[in-house]
Amino acid sequence: MSVPDYMQCAEDHQTLLVVVQPIGIVPEESFFRIYKRISAVSQVNVRDSQRVLYIRYRHHYPPENNEWGDFQTHRKVVGLITITECSSAKEWPQTFEKFHLQKEMYGSTLYDSRLFVFGLQGEIAEQPRTDVAFYPSYDECETVEKRIEDFIESLFIVLESKRLDRATDKSGDKIPLLCVPFEKKDFVGLDTDSRHYKKRCQGRMRKHVGDLCLQAGMLQDSLVHYHMAVELLRSVNDFLWLGAALEGLCSASVIYHYPGGTGGKVGPRRAQGGSLSAEAGNRHRPGALTSNGINADTSAEIGRAKNCLSPEDIIEKYKEAISYYGKYKNAGVIELEACVKAVRVLAIQKRSMEASEFLQNAVYINLRQLSEEEKIQRYSILSELYECIGFHRKSAFFKRIAAMQCAAPSIPEPGWRACYKLLLETLPGYSLSLDPQDFSKGTHRGWAAVQMRLLHELVYASRRMGNPALCVRHLSFLLQTMLDFLSDQEKKDVTQSLESYTAKCPGTMEVITLPDGLKLPPVPFTKLPIVKSVKLLNLPTSLRPHKVKSLLGQNVSTKSPFIYSPIIAHSRGEERNKKIDFQWVQGDVCEVQLMVYNPMPFELRVENMGLLTTGVEFESLPAALSLPAESGLYPVTLVGVPQTTGQITVNGYHTSVFGVFSDCLLDHLPGVKTNGCTVEVIPALPRVQISTSLPRSAHTLQPSSGDEISTNVSVQLYNGETQQLIIKLENIGTEPLEKLEVTAKTVTKEKLYGDFLSWNLEDTLCQFPLKPGKIATFTVNIKVKLDFSCQENLLQDLSDDGISVSGLPLSSPFRQVVKPRVETKPLNPQESSKVGDFSHVKTLEAILNFKYSGGPGHAEGYYRNLALGLHVEVEPSVFFTRISTLPATSTRQCHLLLDVFNSTEHELTISARNNEDLILHAGECQRIAIQVDKFNFESFPESPADGAQLANAKQLEEERQQARGLEINSKLDICWKIPSLKREGEASVEGVLNQLVLEHLQLAPLQWDILVDGKVCDCDIVVTCQVGDPVPLQVKLTNWSKHSVGPFALTMMPYQDYQNGVHNYDLQDAITFVGSNTFYIDTVKPAKDSVYFGALLFLYTGDFYLNIKFHEDNCSRELPLSWLCLPSVHIRATEPVAPTKL
């Protein structure tokens, strides 16, 4: 026997072998369709008996194996079923003849045979025959199973007769010697009468009868016969047949112990609707019956258990039998099959190590020269057996050998498909799967070197199959999962091969389904490049949306009424499912930053890299990047535009590397850090771009709020100068601009006077709503007014006598330049400090915030904030080095003296209200006198007297001081102009005024008015009257203080001024008073006035003056002198006009 049956198992010893073969031309599909129905009748209950027959069907069986039927009866073909097609009566004789020829092939061993004819109808088909069954077609053959059952019963009859015939002890008859084919020549010339020979014949016959009993369903009898055969054959050293007897004993014992079988077959099939006996039903095995079919009693069960081997003895007997088989070269197939059967038993007993010894023995059994197909079958079965005992890597080893055998060079047409299929089956044994997700969890399992070799073989087999898509998928898998184990050269080789394959067939993310149904999942390149972190970026500061805060319940949390809840704290879920606290805007470009690095030893080109999102329609804008070899962490920004509103989740990214398109999901990248992947997309808002008339600034403002400023502009101004900043607001979005609010914030420590920035928003709002692409203009006035004062110690080298005064002829003009040129270096550090203070450039910074909205976002209560940074460098223009006052001729006026210093390097003119322009050269200091009306400061708020408000006293006093300075400055209207630069501005005295000057400039609370002849006398006003006419004189006191004043007594003393320093008061003959020259004024309440009337009579012509003196009393002594300052009175008495005579 040369062809082993690797599928054999111990329970096959109880089966009858039936061969099913086609005759003539029968379609393969039709044949196997009928064969499947026939082979389904694998066990049949014998009629009028509780025995069960088991049938083993084969559609191909080598005739030489049939010659071993006497050695082991289950190898004998006892039944033949042929299937043929016959369409006409003419073909029938030829068909029937073929049937007879087929029977002759197994004629010596056949018990019975059947012929199934399909397609023949008519007279021949209607003739009743037992060995032939006619069917019109393959679809109309309902009685196939019934015919098979009848056929099996006929086999049983023959089997039972043979068993009874052989089992009967006929002492008178000579027992024939059963032989295997290779023994026949060895027994020629032996003494057939010797006792040794007879024992051999008896032992072999006992063993043969045991086989027949086992096939006939008589397990107990078979055990008895096998034991007897073992004793007889052991005594004559008939080792080959002794091994067979021991194997038969093992098989019967296995059938008893393991009724479910050892070959992994489906459970028993019940035939004829009959039920198995209680014993057979419980154990799924045939009952041990007596020859007359009556159930055995309890003693039979005890006897069977006694004769049956234990599970441990079964293995020992198998070892012994195999050792006997090994003594015979021609019994290699028997030995191999016995090893396979023992392994199946050991697999059930879970004795893997002993099973591996049997398999190792099977590997080294030397058979004849096997064909390539037989080698493949042998290695495949070895692989399956190793798999059964849990030796997965060993199983994969032999499966791979079988795969390589499919593509052996000696095969004319290598079976690459079979090779590929077998290679796929080896993957689990090497801890390798085709799902890349299995390699992203924990440490690497298996031997990487072996796995890489296997993957390379899969790639090669795929290429030889002509399937480039498979090549790309396996190479991608190799590169993704084995990247850490590849050398630099191997990485280059693999990527080059991959690029050559993807040039013909690009790698995709589609699942590849093989013909056998196996699905190859896609392989995303999550390591090319490796992504370490994913961060969703907020929009730029100028584009970030802000929600209009609601006044109702803006501080109330709707999430939970509790301050702390452990349920909320411990149910945060995955970090990547966390919602981010900022929003994206529909229609705006949004960014996601990835930190990646390239693990390859060469430059990695990543093409078509974009985002994968769900929840909102999202237009991803792919990017291409090139990463240097083995780069460190490298930031990559992926962008896209959300087209709708709602919740958007960034699930991952897609790439194209080496021609392979990959969708890399963050859920499959456990090591990736993220700040959350879900963000809200709000409705669209307009976008505004700012351009200004000023140049951009290199200085970047850093506001305390942390907001970024999109644009910074700078300008250089002189102190007191005003300039317009024209801002163009361009709507570069797709939504109309409907609302605009502008606010300003000054971020400087310098003290400013007046409004630094001012604007009128109404002119700009008239252009709204601003359509996309349109521009609106907005004008901002920049006015810088810093302190114009200068410390006196900085000008100690300027002498008072050397100051030229403009407006008053006090002294002669004098100039002195104290500001050196830039090229001039100071002689000592003290001079350096002086110069530095004069030339110091101060910086003012402010932020203009544009709060704007429009479109759907405006309806939802969102707006954007755009910040413009303004950097102003203020150079000093003029300084007021000293300030003082001089009284004027009028009690309600005074002269303000200012020492003005030109700190610029240009000629400068100073002008004030009602004054001539004063020219100052660079570094020159001159005095200017300005006559001003005194001010009534009583209308400004007073400092609080209440102790509870003392905290605000200082602030209120500063406000009063500032208001006074602003009032004074507005009346002075001091301006400067630099003609050469065509620049001008104003100079403010607000920071220069001191308390003394303010007192001098303040109008007294008691207002004295003297009226002569109804005319107010003050300053240089001269009242004219005629000699001899009484002149009315009124003294009016108005009390603007907060308290009552008076009473007062005033004496009028007339005099003449000779303009030489001599005053003549002896004027009793020139002037007389009508009444008393002393005026008495009663107490005057606050905000009230009092008038005293009198009269003068001039007797001579001339210029007269009145000197008014207060009487020394308590009332006048309590008040300041400035309150009792009366205007001068100048009266000119003229000759009376003579009446005109008609």
Side-chain angles (χ1 to χ4, degrees):
M1 188 170 64
S2 59
V3 182
D5 183 3
Y6 295 100
M7 300 306 295
Q8 279 211 7
C9 49
E11 55 267 25
D12 286 347
H13 282 250
Q14 68 179 343
T15 61
L16 298 175
L17 180 58
V18 176
V19 175
V20 183
Q21 291 184 336
I23 295 178
I25 301 175
V26 178
E28 184 178 353
E29 181 181 355
S30 301
F31 170 76
F32 281 104
R33 191 167 134 199
I34 300 300
Y35 177 80
K36 185 177 181 181
R37 292 178 62 182
I38 292 172
S39 59
V41 189
S42 59
Q43 68 185 59
V44 176
N45 284 12
V46 180
R47 194 176 301 174
D48 299 329
S49 172
Q50 291 187 355
R51 284 189 266 172
V52 180
L53 284 185
Y54 292 88
I55 312 300
R56 188 168 92 258
Y57 296 94
R58 293 289 183 268
H59 56 80
H60 175 75
Y61 194 72
E64 61 268 23
N65 285 13
N66 198 34
E67 297 176 0
W68 290 71
D70 289 339
F71 181 72
Q72 289 176 327
T73 57
H74 72 282
R75 300 183 184 277
K76 183 188 298 184
V77 178
V78 297
L80 175 65
I81 300 175
T82 56
I83 299 172
T84 186
E85 284 187 5
C86 186
S87 57
S88 64
K90 294 181 180 179
E91 299 177 0
W92 169 242
Q94 185 180 3
T95 301
F96 196 68
E97 180 65 24
K98 290 180 180 179
F99 172 55
H100 281 287
L101 291 175
Q102 196 74 17
K103 284 198 297 182
E104 290 178 0
M105 186 180 298
Y106 306 102
S108 60
T109 59
L110 286 179
Y111 294 170
D112 201 355
S113 61
R114 292 290 186 271
L115 172 63
F116 287 174
V117 181
F118 292 90
L120 183 62
Q121 297 180 357
E123 184 179 350
I124 298 175
E126 294 173 357
Q127 295 177 1
R129 300 176 65 104
T130 57
D131 59 342
V132 181
F134 294 95
Y135 296 103
S137 66
Y138 292 103
D139 297 324
E140 301 176 20
C141 54
E142 294 81 4
T143 61
V144 167
E145 287 83 356
K146 181 66 174 63
R147 290 269 188 172
I148 297 300
E149 290 172 359
D150 294 341
F151 171 65
I152 292 173
E153 287 188 2
S154 68
L155 295 179
F156 173 73
I157 295 171
V158 178
L159 172 65
E160 186 67 8
S161 65
K162 286 182 176 291
R163 184 189 68 78
L164 292 173
D165 181 56
R166 299 286 175 90
T168 304
D169 188 7
K170 299 176 182 179
S171 58
D173 298 339
K174 189 175 182 180
I175 299 174
L177 178 65
L178 300 177
C179 300
V180 293
F182 71 87
E183 286 182 322
K184 293 179 181 178
K185 60 180 180 179
D186 296 334
F187 292 151
V188 176
L190 285 179
D191 183 6
T192 57
D193 295 330
S194 64
R195 186 176 179 182
H196 187 276
Y197 182 81
K198 288 180 180 180
K199 275 193 174 184
R200 176 177 290 186
C201 292
Q202 289 175 357
R204 292 190 178 190
M205 185 56 70
R206 281 291 178 183
K207 186 267 170 194
H208 181 65
V209 173
D211 288 347
L212 293 176
C213 290
L214 191 59
Q215 286 182 309
M218 301 175 66
L219 184 62
Q220 178 190 3
D221 292 5
S222 67
L223 287 168
V224 173
H225 287 295
Y226 283 138
H227 275 292
M228 294 175 64
V230 168
E231 293 176 1
L232 289 170
L233 294 171
R234 195 186 297 278
S235 64
V236 295
N237 294 330
D238 192 355
F239 295 119
L240 181 61
W241 285 79
L242 174 58
L246 289 170
E247 188 181 353
L249 186 59
C250 292
S251 299
S253 300
V254 168
I255 292 169
Y256 174 78
H257 285 292
Y258 309 107
T262 62
K265 297 181 181 178
V266 184
R269 177 184 182 274
R270 292 182 179 148
Q272 294 183 345
S275 62
L276 298 174
S277 64
E279 182 184 354
N282 290 336
R283 301 189 177 181
H284 296 83
R285 67 173 187 83
L289 306 178
T290 58
S291 57
N292 59 5
I294 300 174
N295 281 338
D297 56 9
T298 312
S299 62
E301 185 68 25
I302 295 172
R304 178 187 308 158
K306 180 180 179 182
N307 291 324
C308 183
L309 299 176
S310 67
E312 292 77 13
D313 290 339
I314 292 174
I315 304 305
E316 293 302 321
K317 298 302 180 186
Y318 262 126
K319 288 183 180 179
E320 186 179 352
I322 291 170
S323 66
Y324 293 147
Y325 291 149
K327 297 177 181 293
Y328 298 90
K329 183 180 180 180
N330 294 322
V333 174
I334 305 296
E335 181 186 0
L336 178 61
E337 290 181 357
C339 288
V340 170
K341 295 170 193 174
V343 169
R344 295 188 190 278
V345 175
L346 285 166
I348 293 179
Q349 296 180 357
K350 300 188 182 303
R351 296 161 67 180
S352 301
M353 292 305 296
E354 293 179 65
S356 67
E357 295 176 4
F358 280 93
L359 277 178
Q360 194 67 28
N361 182 61
V363 171
Y364 292 110
I365 294 176
N366 188 17
L367 301 179
R368 61 171 177 81
Q369 188 66 30
L370 299 178
S371 65
E372 299 298 338
E373 186 177 351
E374 289 171 332
K375 290 179 182 178
I376 295 170
Q377 184 186 15
R378 182 180 185 183
Y379 294 133
S380 298
I381 294 299
L382 284 171
S383 172
E384 292 176 8
L385 292 173
Y386 271 114
E387 185 71 25
C388 288
I389 63 175
F391 282 39
H392 303 296
R393 194 163 63 232
K394 198 83 167 181
S395 169
F397 173 77
F398 282 103
K399 187 80 74 174
R400 180 181 168 275
I401 293 178
M404 295 296 102
Q405 206 66 44
C406 292
S410 57
I411 300 179
E413 296 181 1
W416 288 107
R417 293 189 181 277
C419 174
Y420 179 79
K421 184 176 182 299
L422 289 172
L423 284 174
L424 286 180
E425 294 174 3
T426 65
L427 298 180
Y430 291 114
S431 301
L432 197 61
S433 75
L434 295 177
D435 189 354
Q437 293 307 313
D438 296 339
F439 287 82
S440 63
K441 304 167 186 175
T443 56
H444 188 89
R445 292 181 63 246
W447 293 347
V450 177
Q451 292 171 343
M452 286 190 289
R453 174 68 181 271
L454 191 58
L455 289 172
H456 276 296
E457 290 169 353
L458 279 173
V459 172
Y460 185 73
S462 302
R463 183 173 71 82
R464 295 302 299 267
M465 286 165 55
N467 194 334
L470 274 181
C471 297
V472 172
R473 181 60 51 88
H474 291 308
L475 265 180
S476 302
F477 184 86
L478 170 63
L479 196 57
Q480 168 69 17
T481 59
M482 303 294 166
L483 186 64
D484 298 336
F485 304 99
L486 293 173
S487 65
D488 289 352
Q489 186 59 42
E490 287 173 334
K491 290 177 182 178
K492 294 179 181 179
D493 295 341
V494 171
T495 52
Q496 288 175 359
S497 301
L498 184 58
E499 286 179 322
S500 66
Y501 287 130
T502 53
K504 304 173 185 177
C505 180
T508 65
M509 287 298 293
E510 297 177 359
V511 176
I512 297 178
T513 304
L514 300 177
D516 59 354
L518 180 65
K519 294 184 178 181
L520 300 184
V523 182
F525 277 157
T526 59
K527 293 184 179 180
L528 296 174
I530 296 176
V531 177
K532 279 297 183 182
S533 67
V534 176
K535 182 180 181 182
L536 276 65
L537 300 181
N538 200 350
L539 293 174
T541 309
S542 59
L543 297 180
R544 290 175 189 170
H546 303 275
K547 183 75 172 177
V548 177
K549 293 183 179 179
S550 173
L551 296 178
L552 295 176
Q554 64 183 12
N555 296 323
V556 179
S557 174
T558 58
K559 293 181 180 179
S560 172
F562 303 105
I563 296 176
Y564 171 77
S565 171
I567 300 175
I568 297 174
H570 295 288
S571 61
R572 294 168 183 168
E574 290 290 335
E575 187 183 35
R576 60 174 53 95
N577 295 330
K578 182 175 61 179
K579 186 179 176 183
I580 302 174
D581 58 357
F582 58 77
Q583 294 90 24
W584 284 351
V585 180
Q586 173 189 357
D588 282 7
V589 175
C590 304
E591 299 178 336
V592 176
Q593 187 183 70
L594 280 66
M595 297 302 294
V596 304
Y597 73 88
N598 173 22
M600 304 300 278
F602 50 84
E603 184 182 23
L604 180 65
R605 293 185 58 82
V606 183
E607 301 174 355
N608 194 33
M609 192 171 188
L611 295 172
L612 298 174
T613 61
T614 56
V616 166
E617 183 181 345
F618 188 80
E619 179 188 358
S620 179
L621 305 176
L625 57 141
S626 179
L627 298 174
E630 296 178 348
S631 67
L633 281 179
Y634 189 86
V636 175
T637 302
L638 302 181
V639 299
V641 180
Q643 304 294 334
T644 56
T645 61
Q647 297 284 342
I648 184 172
T649 301
V650 176
N651 298 322
Y653 59 94
H654 61 81
T655 60
S656 175
V657 181
F658 304 129
V660 177
F661 295 90
S662 304
D663 290 345
C664 305
L665 301 178
L666 298 183
D667 290 338
H668 298 161
L669 302 174
V672 172
K673 296 180 180 178
T674 175
N675 63 337
C677 296
T678 301
V679 69
E680 181 184 0
V681 179
I682 67 164
L685 287 167
R687 281 180 290 164
V688 171
Q689 178 176 294
I690 283 184
S691 59
T692 68
S693 57
L694 296 179
R696 285 184 175 270
S697 172
H699 302 276
T700 302
L701 274 69
Q702 297 294 337
S704 58
S705 61
D707 295 335
E708 296 180 6
I709 296 174
S710 57
T711 307
N712 289 276
V713 296
S714 64
V715 63
Q716 181 269 328
L717 298 176
Y718 283 105
N719 191 11
E721 190 175 2
T722 301
Q723 181 164 333
Q724 280 191 342
L725 168 62
I726 299 176
I727 301 173
K728 292 183 179 180
L729 305 173
E730 181 181 1
N731 186 358
I732 59 173
T734 57
E735 301 297 331
L737 180 59
E738 302 174 9
K739 184 179 179 182
L740 177 65
E741 295 180 10
V742 183
T743 58
K745 181 180 179 183
T746 304
V747 286
T748 181
K749 296 180 180 179
E750 301 292 339
K751 186 174 181 181
L752 280 165
Y753 298 93
D755 293 331
F756 178 37
L757 301 175
S758 60
W759 61 84
N760 184 6
L761 193 58
E762 294 180 0
D763 296 340
T764 304
L765 294 179
C766 293
Q767 307 173 51
F768 281 32
L770 194 63
K771 302 289 183 183
K774 299 296 182 180
I775 298 176
T777 57
F778 177 65
T779 303
V780 177
N781 294 316
I782 306 173
K783 187 175 183 179
V784 291
K785 273 203 314 184
L786 300 178
D787 192 359
F788 284 83
S789 65
C790 184
Q791 292 84 357
E792 292 190 8
N793 58 355
L794 297 177
L795 294 175
Q796 55 188 351
D797 51 347
L798 294 177
S799 172
D800 277 347
D801 297 335
I803 301 296
S804 62
V805 179
S806 171
L808 287 177
L810 297 181
S811 61
S812 60
F814 176 78
R815 295 176 180 173
Q816 181 170 356
V817 179
V818 297
K819 181 179 178 182
R821 298 297 178 185
V822 178
E823 299 83 0
T824 306
K825 294 184 180 179
L827 299 177
N828 53 58
Q830 291 183 352
E831 291 182 10
S832 175
S833 63
K834 297 175 190 176
V835 174
D837 285 320
F838 283 114
S839 62
H840 177 62
V841 176
K842 295 184 178 180
T843 300
L844 299 180
E845 291 180 335
I847 299 173
L848 277 171
N849 286 308
F850 297 85
K851 179 179 173 182
Y852 65 94
S853 185
H858 178 53
E860 294 291 330
Y862 288 96
Y863 66 92
R864 277 180 167 150
N865 199 10
L866 187 62
L868 173 66
L870 179 61
H871 180 86
V872 182
E873 292 184 351
V874 184
E875 292 191 17
S877 53
V878 295
F879 283 121
F880 295 116
T881 59
R882 289 190 183 89
I883 183 168
S884 59
T885 57
L886 286 176
T889 55
S890 170
T891 59
R892 299 188 182 182
Q893 290 182 333
C894 73
H895 291 284
L896 184 66
L897 305 181
L898 296 171
D899 291 354
V900 186
F901 174 69
N902 178 9
S903 62
T904 69
E905 297 182 355
H906 307 277
E907 188 178 86
L908 179 144
T909 61
I910 287 287
S911 63
R913 183 176 295 181
N914 302 324
N915 273 54
E916 295 181 356
D917 292 350
L918 174 66
I919 299 176
L920 291 176
H921 294 280
E924 182 182 5
C925 183
Q926 292 195 36
R927 178 171 293 169
I928 181 171
I930 306 172
Q931 182 175 309
V932 293
D933 294 334
K934 290 186 178 181
F935 301 91
N936 181 15
F937 295 141
E938 298 301 325
S939 59
F940 299 110
E942 294 292 336
S943 300
D946 190 0
Q949 298 179 349
L950 288 178
N952 296 326
K954 184 177 181 181
Q955 180 181 355
L956 190 58
E957 181 62 30
E958 288 180 357
E959 291 178 0
R960 293 179 68 251
Q961 191 87 349
Q962 186 176 353
R964 291 172 180 177
L966 184 63
E967 176 74 13
I968 295 171
N969 194 65
S970 62
K971 294 291 180 64
L972 296 179
D973 195 17
I974 304 174
C975 298
W976 57 263
K977 185 183 295 184
I978 303 177
S980 61
L981 299 179
K982 295 183 179 180
R983 297 173 73 168
E984 59 183 15
E986 61 177 275
S988 172
V989 297
E990 294 176 52
V992 186
L993 301 172
N994 53 43
Q995 190 62 35
L996 181 61
V997 172
L998 288 175
E999 290 179 0
H1000 291 172
L1001 292 177
Q1002 183 174 0
L1003 198 62
L1006 299 184
Q1007 181 177 331
W1008 299 91
D1009 294 314
I1010 298 178
L1011 286 77
V1012 178
D1013 198 13
K1015 298 178 183 179
V1016 178
C1017 294
D1018 196 8
C1019 299
D1020 298 328
I1021 297 176
V1022 179
V1023 179
T1024 304
C1025 62
Q1026 293 182 357
V1027 174
D1029 292 338
V1031 180
L1033 179 65
Q1034 301 177 30
V1035 177
K1036 180 180 179 182
L1037 171 61
T1038 305
N1039 182 13
W1040 294 111
S1041 69
K1042 297 180 181 180
H1043 308 284
S1044 299
V1045 294
F1048 298 102
L1050 295 85
T1051 301
M1052 303 291 182
M1053 299 177 63
Y1055 70 93
Q1056 282 186 313
D1057 186 2
Y1058 294 148
Q1059 300 296 325
N1060 58 358
V1062 176
H1063 291 177
N1064 180 20
Y1065 286 91
D1066 187 14
L1067 299 177
Q1068 293 85 357
D1069 298 335
I1071 301 175
T1072 184
F1073 283 87
V1074 180
S1076 174
N1077 67 336
T1078 300
F1079 289 29
Y1080 293 94
I1081 299 175
D1082 294 334
T1083 300
V1084 183
K1085 294 182 179 181
K1088 300 295 182 178
D1089 56 32
S1090 178
V1091 183
Y1092 183 86
F1093 296 94
L1096 284 172
L1097 181 64
F1098 290 90
L1099 304 178
Y1100 294 99
T1101 59
D1103 288 326
F1104 300 93
Y1105 297 90
L1106 291 181
N1107 184 10
I1108 306 173
K1109 290 186 178 181
F1110 284 89
H1111 289 198
E1112 291 288 336
D1113 54 14
N1114 292 333
C1115 292
S1116 59
R1117 281 198 298 268
E1118 291 176 357
L1119 298 177
L1121 292 178
S1122 59
W1123 289 30
L1124 304 176
C1125 184
L1126 278 73
S1128 61
V1129 180
H1130 184 187
I1131 303 173
R1132 180 171 294 162
T1134 59
E1135 291 288 343
V1137 180
T1140 305
K1141 296 180 180 180
L1142 298 175

